[in-house]
């Protein structure tokens, strides 16, 4: 049985689906106004790992992952209902429409997931296409006395009407104080400083606004996830995942809204992944250390080396990404794929169940992926196991690891032979690059190309292919 750390209970919990044979997961998706960096991708890998392990147990998994394309402000902790959300701000910066911005970065997000072998969610609702449901839920919350409209057309959730607020993050209402960025002209609209906007009224001309019974405007970020999760997964969701930074206020607010609307505890388990550091600092545009998957590929590395690097750490612990670590993961990935391709040529053999169980037991133990990798390496080095058994083990277990370990199986082995004089040119080019004589390096590359030799520069030096 899979066990995970539940953020709300502060305990490792057995994951028992509400519906026999089916696991339902909601994964907080992106706000599509910029490219995702690898720190974002680590968060989305979490739900993929849970899915894969659950499927090994024979469960049918349904995942819903939202696309936030409206309503997420620069600072949602201190909501100014007249403010501009991130999608609109980026649209103005790039001179495009909000819809163009949202769809462009949404496509980039899906490509990143594909490159990292993260399976697409069964449900991928967009906030902008779920407005009717949001208006309906807000109306229900107003009617039940948990929300209130104000003169400018905004609607706020009454935080004090939800007694268990703070169970996820530990932030209790009595301890919260007004933030220093509250708009003084808007602060009087709230009955209590910790109330948050469900709907943001607007009187000015702007893109992406809708008519509602209380006034024209657009939805708050938190209500979007409540509506989309309930619409697509129902009011008994087994697992809700997200980055650790979403505990407060996003998930606290979402839980209050969903539970109040449904009249019950909607999410059975809240599971959060920790931050990814880059060279010892939090990854952020302001610090200039943002790394994207395309940066990894540009260095000649397999993007799945990033996935393997993530697996070397526990999801609930911070990790520090360095280029040396990614290069090491890439080498390990190449070595394993080469061995799997060799083992595939051996006579077939039964799956070594005991050794395989050691790996799956590690996954079940709160996704102890570092231990799972150690056990996988032990299988590779176990001289008592026939090569055919090793192949079966790696092919089966890659359903959980998701590293495409059988990628090279069945591919013909191609041995390139250098034409006469090419090796001398390669040696000269390597020396030129070491001496930073890039003009000579480019000239030698052209000479090699004329001989039919293609040269590529990678983090491990130049490589070549001929033919």
């Amino acid at each position: 049985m899979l066990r995970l750390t539940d953020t709300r209970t502060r305990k490792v919990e057995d994951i028992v689906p509400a519906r026999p044979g089916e696991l339902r997961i909601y994964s907080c998706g992106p706000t599509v106004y910029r490219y995702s960096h690898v720190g974002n991708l680590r968060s989305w890998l979490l739900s993929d790992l849970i899915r894969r392990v659950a499927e090994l147990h024979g469960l049918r998994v349904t995942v819903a992952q939202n696309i936030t394309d409206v309503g997420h402000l620069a600072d949602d902790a201190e909501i100014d209902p007249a403010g501009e959300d991130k999608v609109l701000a980026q649209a103005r910066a790039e001179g495009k429409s909000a819809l163009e911005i949202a769809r462009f970065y949404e496509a980039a997000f899906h490509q990143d997931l594909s490159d990292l072998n993260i399976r697409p969610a069964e449900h991928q609702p967009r906030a902008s296409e779920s407005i009717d449901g949001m208006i309906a839920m807000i109306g229900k919350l107003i009617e039940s006395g948990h929300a209130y409209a104000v003169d400018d057309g905004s609607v706020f959730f009454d935080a004090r009407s939800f007694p268990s607020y703070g169970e996820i993050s530990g932030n209790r209402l009595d301890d919260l104080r007004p933030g220093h960025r509250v708009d003084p002209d808007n602060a009087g609209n709230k009955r209590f400083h910790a109330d948050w906007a469900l709907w943001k009224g607007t009187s000015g001309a702007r893109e992406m606004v809708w008519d509602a019974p209380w006034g024209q405007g657009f939805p708050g970020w938190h209500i979007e996830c409540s509506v989309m999760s309930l619409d697509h997964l129902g009011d008994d969701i087994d697992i809700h995942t997200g980055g650790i930074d979403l505990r407060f206020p996003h998930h606290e607010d979402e839980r209050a809204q969903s539970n109040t609307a449904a009249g019950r505890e909607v999410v059975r388990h809240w599971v959060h992944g920790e931050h990814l550091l880059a060279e010892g600092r939090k990854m952020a545009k302001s610090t200039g250390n943002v790394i994207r998957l395309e940066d990894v590929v540009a260095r000649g590395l397999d993007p799945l080396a990033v996935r393997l690097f993530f697996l070397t750490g526990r999801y609930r612990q911070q990790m520090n990404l360095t280029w040396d670590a990614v290069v090491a993961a890439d080498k390990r990935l190449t070595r394993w794929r080469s061995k799997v391709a060799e083992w595939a040529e051996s006579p077939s053999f039964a799956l070594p169940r005991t050794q395989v169980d050691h790996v799956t037991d590690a996954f079940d133990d709160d996704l102890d992926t570092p231990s799972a990798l150690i056990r996988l390496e032990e299988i590779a080095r176990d001289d008592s196991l026939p090569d055919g058994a090793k192949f079966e083990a790696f092919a089966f277990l890659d359903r959980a690891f998701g590293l495409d370990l059988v990628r090279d199986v069945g591919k013909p082995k191609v041995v390139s032979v250098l034409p006469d004089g090419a090796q001398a040119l390669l040696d000269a080019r390597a020396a030129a690059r070491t001496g930073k004589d890039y003009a000579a390096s480019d000239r030698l590359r052209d000479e090699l190309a004329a001989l039919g030799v293609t040269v590529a520069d990678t983090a491990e030096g130049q490589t070549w292919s001929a033919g």
Side-chain angles (χ1 to χ4, degrees):
M1 179 180 294
L2 174 62
R3 299 176 298 280
L4 296 170
T5 297
D6 189 314
T7 308
R8 187 170 71 89
T9 65
R10 275 70 167 172
K11 295 188 298 184
V12 178
E13 304 269 8
D14 292 339
I15 304 301
V16 180
R19 303 163 185 80
E22 180 184 6
L23 189 72
R24 295 194 173 193
I25 303 172
Y26 187 78
S27 172
C28 269
T31 302
V32 284
Y33 72 102
R34 65 180 180 186
Y35 291 111
S36 303
H37 57 62
V38 293
N40 304 136
L41 293 171
R42 186 191 184 197
S43 174
W44 296 316
L45 176 63
L46 176 56
S47 59
D48 186 68
L49 289 174
I50 295 172
R51 169 205 283 275
R52 288 172 176 271
V53 175
E55 288 176 345
L56 284 185
H57 286 290
L59 295 176
R60 182 174 75 257
V61 180
T62 302
V63 178
Q65 183 174 58
N66 66 291
I67 299 294
T68 296
D69 56 359
V70 65
H72 190 160
L73 299 187
D75 184 358
D76 277 283
E78 300 296 349
I79 292 177
D80 167 14
E84 188 171 42
D85 69 42
K86 293 181 177 182
V87 174
L88 293 180
Q90 190 65 24
R92 188 178 66 251
E94 296 190 25
K96 299 177 180 177
S97 72
L99 187 62
E100 289 173 331
I101 289 293
R103 297 300 170 261
F104 176 84
Y105 288 108
E106 180 183 344
F109 160 73
H110 288 306
Q111 184 61 56
D112 284 339
L113 294 193
S114 176
D115 291 343
L116 209 61
N117 234 0
I118 296 175
R119 295 181 188 167
E122 282 72 20
H123 304 289
Q124 301 174 47
R126 294 166 175 157
S128 64
E129 297 171 357
S130 307
I131 301 297
D132 288 346
M134 297 175 202
I135 291 174
M137 180 180 285
I138 293 170
K140 183 177 181 179
L141 293 173
I142 293 174
E143 184 178 348
S144 64
H146 291 279
Y148 56 93
V150 297
D151 291 342
D152 71 354
S154 298
V155 180
F156 290 91
F157 188 93
D158 183 355
R160 291 175 293 185
S161 73
F162 188 70
S164 64
Y165 189 91
E167 287 191 358
I168 297 175
S169 65
N171 291 315
R172 301 296 181 177
L173 288 177
D174 292 343
D175 298 326
L176 295 176
R177 295 291 179 266
H180 64 278
R181 285 193 290 269
V182 172
D183 178 3
D185 295 330
N186 177 57
N189 288 334
K190 296 183 182 182
R191 295 175 182 172
F192 181 61
H193 63 79
D195 295 349
W196 63 90
L198 303 174
W199 187 263
K200 306 164 191 177
T202 177
S203 57
R206 55 177 288 155
E207 289 187 78
M208 303 182 81
V209 294
W210 292 265
D211 292 325
W214 39 86
Q216 188 180 71
F218 56 100
W221 174 33
H222 316 302
I223 194 66
E224 297 176 356
C225 279
S226 286
V227 169
M228 289 185 279
S229 62
L230 288 167
D231 279 355
H232 294 280
L233 297 179
D235 62 1
D236 206 345
I237 298 170
D238 296 301
I239 300 172
H240 193 310
T241 66
I244 197 71
D245 55 310
L246 297 183
R247 288 179 304 174
F248 180 83
H250 184 48
H251 287 164
E252 289 289 10
D253 295 356
E254 182 187 340
R255 174 175 175 260
Q257 297 161 169
S258 298
N259 288 9
T260 301
R264 57 171 296 165
E265 193 74 53
V266 171
V267 175
R268 296 161 70 88
H269 302 285
W270 294 87
V271 181
H272 293 90
E274 258 291 356
H275 288 300
L276 177 70
L277 307 179
E279 304 292 349
R281 297 180 300 167
K282 182 179 177 180
M283 194 173 297
K285 184 177 180 180
S286 59
T287 57
N289 64 341
V290 168
I291 298 172
R292 294 177 49 211
L293 274 189
E294 72 168 16
D295 299 322
V296 175
V297 174
R299 293 190 177 217
L301 304 172
D302 191 318
L304 289 180
V306 174
R307 185 182 179 107
L308 177 54
F309 167 76
F310 288 154
L311 296 177
T312 63
R314 298 291 288 267
Y315 74 90
R316 52 187 173 81
Q317 296 173 336
Q318 286 191 354
M319 293 188 74
N320 183 36
L321 183 144
T322 66
W323 281 112
D324 286 345
V326 179
V327 169
D330 187 75
K331 291 180 178 178
R332 190 180 192 183
L333 199 56
T334 300
R335 173 170 58 84
W336 274 348
R337 287 177 180 156
S338 177
K339 296 301 293 184
V340 169
E342 290 179 16
W343 298 333
E345 302 295 326
S346 302
S348 60
F349 209 86
L351 186 73
R353 177 51 64 181
T354 298
Q355 291 87 341
V356 166
D357 285 347
H358 290 160
V359 180
T360 57
D361 286 348
F363 273 109
D364 285 344
D365 185 17
D366 200 16
L367 296 180
D368 186 358
T369 52
S371 293
L373 288 172
I374 291 172
R375 300 292 179 261
L376 188 67
E377 188 69 64
E378 289 174 352
I379 293 174
R381 298 179 183 277
D382 189 344
D383 293 335
S384 69
L385 283 177
D387 286 351
K390 293 180 181 181
F391 171 79
E392 295 296 339
F394 269 64
F396 175 80
L397 290 169
D398 197 38
R399 292 162 59 185
F401 287 106
L403 296 171
D404 277 357
L405 296 178
V406 297
R407 173 184 292 177
D408 296 331
V409 173
K411 290 184 178 179
K413 295 179 175 61
V414 178
V415 179
S416 297
V417 178
L418 284 172
D420 291 342
Q423 187 60 59
L425 293 175
L426 285 169
D427 293 342
R429 186 176 183 277
R433 291 192 63 78
T434 300
K436 300 186 183 302
D437 187 352
Y438 298 114
S441 171
D442 291 342
R443 175 178 52 78
L444 289 164
R445 183 202 296 270
D446 292 340
E447 292 183 28
L448 285 160
L451 294 176
V453 179
T454 301
V455 182
D457 296 307
T458 73
E460 301 173 34
Q462 71 179 8
T463 61
W464 60 268
S465 61

